[in-house]
Every structure is written in C-alpha cells, then in structure tokens.
Amino acid sequence: MKQFKAFTIIYSLVGIVLLGTVFFRIVEGWSWLDSYFFTVVSISTVGYGELVPATALGKIGATGFIFVGLGIFAVAIQQFALYHMRKREEHAEWLFARLGNGSGASGEPANEDDPPNPPSPPEAPDYPKP
C-alpha cells in the first residue's frame, strides 16, 4: 500500500473542505458556518440531515463532492492508522531488542513450553448385555 506524505493528506483534506464550503455558500446561499458544517458532516458520513441542498446544482454538486470527499477522507483515516501501526511495530521491536530474547545466563529459555498431553483413548459405551 502506498504511503502518502502527511502534507499531501492535510492539504487535500483542507482543500476539499474549503472547496465544499465555498461551493455550498455560493450555490445554496447558506452561511459560512452552515456550509462548512454541511461539508464536514457529508464527507465524514455522519449526515445529520439538518441541511439539505435545495437547488438542482447543489444536489448534483453534493453528490460529486461526497464521492470525492469521502475518498480523500478514507485515505486520510487509512494513512493515520498505518502511521500508528508502524509506530507500534517500531516500539515493539525496540522493546524486544531491549529485553533480549528472554534467555538467562545459562542460555536456556526462561520458560519452555510443556509438551502437549496425549489424547485420551475414547471410552467404550456401556451397552446392556442381552
């Protein structure tokens, strides 16, 4: 999976929010705050339903905006998760290297697993004798 630069994702998110805010301000005539709110609620898939585009251009624009915005938002969330997973892996590797392999001074493992118990033979059913 390709990793994007952090500024690319941040600029994309800020750009799509600004573009959506300006679009809905001009097309629907909403306030700046309402336009911003509708933009964020739409791309984050929350969709409160308080604001709904009334014009045909607003509805068509909202549809296209949701597809593009949702894609950018999903990539941002995925990259954020990928970053944190890699940091967690690096920390685990550092921790294992710092703790060593767990062997004592003798070179033996600190805790060796017990051998598995052999399965018990099945018991014969008790049938009444004729």
Side-chain angles (χ1 to χ4, degrees):
M1 179 127 332
K2 183 176 181 178
Q3 184 175 1
F4 295 98
K5 299 281 186 189
F7 68 87
T8 303
I9 294 171
I10 292 170
Y11 287 149
S12 297
L13 277 173
V14 169
I16 197 72
V17 169
L18 284 175
L19 185 67
T21 302
V22 170
F23 175 80
F24 291 114
R25 168 78 176 159
I26 293 170
V27 172
E28 292 296 324
W30 294 336
S31 69
W32 286 107
L33 183 60
D34 285 344
S35 299
Y36 168 77
F37 179 75
F38 180 79
T39 300
V40 172
V41 165
S42 295
I43 65 172
S44 65
T45 70
V46 172
Y48 288 121
E50 294 176 359
L51 297 169
V52 178
T55 65
L57 181 59
K59 292 176 183 178
I60 292 169
T63 304
F65 168 74
I66 289 170
F67 285 128
V68 173
L70 182 58
I72 293 172
F73 188 71
V75 168
I77 295 296
Q78 182 266 340
Q79 291 294 310
F80 181 75
L82 184 64
Y83 171 79
H84 283 286
M85 284 174 37
R86 286 197 176 137
K87 282 297 189 185
R88 188 175 197 112
E89 286 175 2
E90 289 173 9
H91 178 70
E93 289 173 4
W94 173 84
L95 191 59
F96 288 136
R98 184 168 172 99
L99 295 176
N101 63 0
S103 58
S106 65
E108 295 297 318
N111 60 342
E112 191 168 322
D113 290 338
D114 294 331
N117 295 331
S120 305
E123 293 185 22
D126 257 349
Y127 292 115
K129 295 186 181 186

